[in-house]
Each structure stands twice: as C-alpha cells, then as structure tokens.
Amino acid sequence: RVGDQYLTAADVSARLDGLQRGLDTAEARTQIVERWVTNALLYREAERRGLRDDPDIQQRLREQERSVLVNELTTRLFADTEPHVTEADVQAYYKQYQEQLRLREPYVRVQYLSTSSLTAARTIQSKLRSRIDTASATRSWQTMASSYALDVERAQSMAAQYYPERSLFSHQPIIRQQLGRLQPGETAPILEIDGRYHVMHLVDRATPGTIPQLLWVEGEIRRRLRLRARKQMYAREVERLRNEALARREIDLA
C-alpha cells in the first residue's frame, strides 16, 4: 500500500504471467513490487504539485484516453469477427499470386533427430547414407524417428515439408551452421551436444526465386487472407459509422 493505492497479490500474479518463462519468480515479484511502489510515489508527488491541472497535460491525457479506447475497440472488433479462411480461398489465392509467392530465401526439407544413444545415431546415419534415392530414405524415416528420436513429433513433422532455412535451429547455432554446409542428399557427421547425438540429412534445398508448392506457404497465405479480411471488415465498420453520422448530420468537413 502507498497511501490509498493498493497492489494486490492477484495484480502481481497477473504481471508475472506476462513475463518471460524461466525468470526467477521471487526476484521478479520483488522487482514488480518495487517498480509499483516507485510509480505510486511519483504519481502522488505529481498530484501534490497540481500537474493534473496543467492545460497541456489535460490535453495529453484526453488524447491518450481516446487512443486507448479506439485501440481497444479495434482489437475487440477483430476478436469478435475472426475471419474463416477456406481451402478454396487458399487455393484461389495461390493460383492468382504464384509469381508474388516466389521464394525470397532458401527453403529446406530436413531429416533430423536427436537421440541419447550413440549406437542409434550411427545406425540412423548409416541407413541414411546407404539410400540410393530420396524416396527410399523417406519411406524408412518415419519408422526410424518413432524408434529413436527423443522428440518424435518434431522429427516427423520437419521431414514432411519444406521450411525457411533461417527458421530452423535458431537456438542451436552449431546445428544451424552444419545445415548451411550441407548439399542436398548429404548426411552430416554426428554431433554430440550435452549428451545428445544429432543426426541430420538434407533432403532438398529450394533456392530463392523458386515458385513454392502450396503446402510450403499455406500458413502464410492463410495469414494474408485473414489480414485482408480484417482490413475489409474494418473499412466496412468505419464506413457504416460514417454513414450513420452523416445521416444524423454529425459530421461537418467544411
């Protein structure tokens, strides 16, 4: 408590929920309380000095209040009218804008897994290197991932489609560097990091300028379509409000 201002345990917990995971909770709680106390003291002093009565500050407060209300209304409009994007919408967009969807960066399809067994890692590497064609390696990959991968879902999903190369292994720089050195069809040397053995095979790398398959960019297309639908909904709502205000003669632009 600072004067008649209160910070409750629920307030602190709500603020903790918004912080990065892994932050020391006790330390973070102390920082939140100290920051709140400091702001409360400064707020009291500002009021004591009569800053609220300053005409310039009153105008700034009104502008901030208006901005907060407009932003909140816009957020709620978008939340209340989440656009539904159909498969037909996605396919139509892909067909119409294929040239615009050309890759601007390399996309890769990678067979990658980590395992706690060096023997398993060597077995997988040997099998990947012995395949004389990509289709053969693909047929056996799901089985190998199910049998040996520490993260089966990641190993299987990564091998199933193409991803932007820069988006893979962003928190594993050694593996990322290794991926950058591979040519399509090559299997990397086994990497041992913190007791885990990493095996990676580069199935393919699509170069910038390539027209992507629909599966590679479906997520981006859906994002674009939702954004376009929201902009259209926003424009319609603003136009409705404008027309109603004009009908009531509440707008004068002269």
Side-chain angles (χ1 to χ4, degrees):
R1 182 182 66 85
V2 175
D4 59 356
Q5 302 175 67
Y6 289 85
L7 178 70
T8 68
D11 295 332
V12 176
S13 296
R15 299 186 190 194
L16 282 171
D17 290 340
L19 297 179
Q20 182 179 358
R21 289 184 178 181
L23 196 64
D24 181 82
T25 304
E27 181 180 352
R29 187 179 296 273
T30 299
Q31 291 176 358
I32 289 172
V33 172
E34 287 301 319
R35 190 179 303 116
W36 181 87
V37 169
T38 298
N39 287 338
L41 291 171
L42 292 173
Y43 176 76
R44 282 183 6 137
E45 179 63 13
E47 289 204 314
R48 188 189 69 79
R49 296 189 183 191
L51 296 184
R52 186 185 294 276
D53 299 326
D54 185 301
D56 289 339
I57 292 178
Q58 289 181 351
Q59 178 62 27
R60 287 160 58 188
L61 288 173
R62 286 192 294 270
E63 290 174 355
Q64 288 185 7
E65 180 183 36
R66 179 174 177 169
S67 177
V68 168
L69 290 173
V70 169
N71 289 338
E72 181 60 25
L73 174 62
T74 303
T75 299
R76 294 190 181 192
L77 286 174
F78 289 159
D80 293 341
T81 56
E82 181 65 24
H84 175 63
V85 178
T86 67
E87 290 294 332
D89 294 333
V90 173
Q91 292 175 8
Y93 187 98
Y94 175 75
K95 184 177 181 180
Q96 182 176 359
Y97 296 105
Q98 277 190 5
E99 288 297 323
Q100 296 181 20
L101 290 168
R102 286 184 181 274
L103 300 183
R104 298 181 181 180
E105 58 182 315
Y107 270 54
V108 294
R109 187 156 74 91
V110 179
Q111 292 173 329
Y112 160 83
L113 61 77
S114 63
T115 178
S116 58
S117 167
L118 177 58
T119 300
R122 287 173 174 168
T123 298
I124 296 165
Q125 183 190 58
S126 176
K127 288 183 178 181
L128 289 171
R129 286 178 170 172
S130 66
R131 301 298 189 230
I132 60 174
D133 60 82
T134 301
S136 177
T138 301
R139 282 193 297 269
S140 62
W141 177 256
Q142 300 299 323
T143 300
M144 289 191 291
S146 298
S147 300
Y148 300 112
L150 292 173
D151 188 339
V152 176
E153 182 178 355
R154 183 188 186 196
Q156 293 182 340
S157 63
M158 188 180 295
Q161 63 175 303
Y162 287 72
Y163 293 90
E165 186 167 348
R166 64 177 172 82
S167 71
L168 297 179
F169 311 112
S170 57
H171 301 296
Q172 298 167 297
I174 298 177
I175 301 175
R176 188 173 187 174
Q177 291 172 10
Q178 187 183 63
L179 172 60
R181 292 192 293 266
L182 289 178
Q183 296 299 316
E186 290 185 344
T187 300
I190 296 171
L191 281 177
E192 190 275 322
I193 304 174
D194 297 330
R196 293 188 173 189
Y197 300 92
H198 303 263
V199 183
M200 179 164 52
H201 175 83
L202 178 59
V203 178
D204 188 28
R205 178 181 284 114
T207 58
T210 301
I211 293 180
Q213 296 178 20
L214 175 57
L215 182 62
W216 309 358
V217 291
E218 182 177 354
E220 172 62 17
I221 291 175
R222 288 184 179 276
R223 186 191 70 80
R224 293 185 185 186
L225 289 172
R226 284 194 294 267
L227 180 60
R228 185 168 69 181
R230 286 171 178 168
K231 287 181 177 179
Q232 292 171 345
M233 179 275 299
Y234 177 84
R236 287 194 301 269
E237 181 66 13
V238 171
E239 186 65 18
R240 181 186 68 81
L241 294 172
R242 177 186 292 270
N243 290 336
E244 290 178 358
L246 286 170
R248 295 191 297 266
R249 298 185 178 183
E250 295 174 344
I251 295 181
D252 185 359
L253 300 179

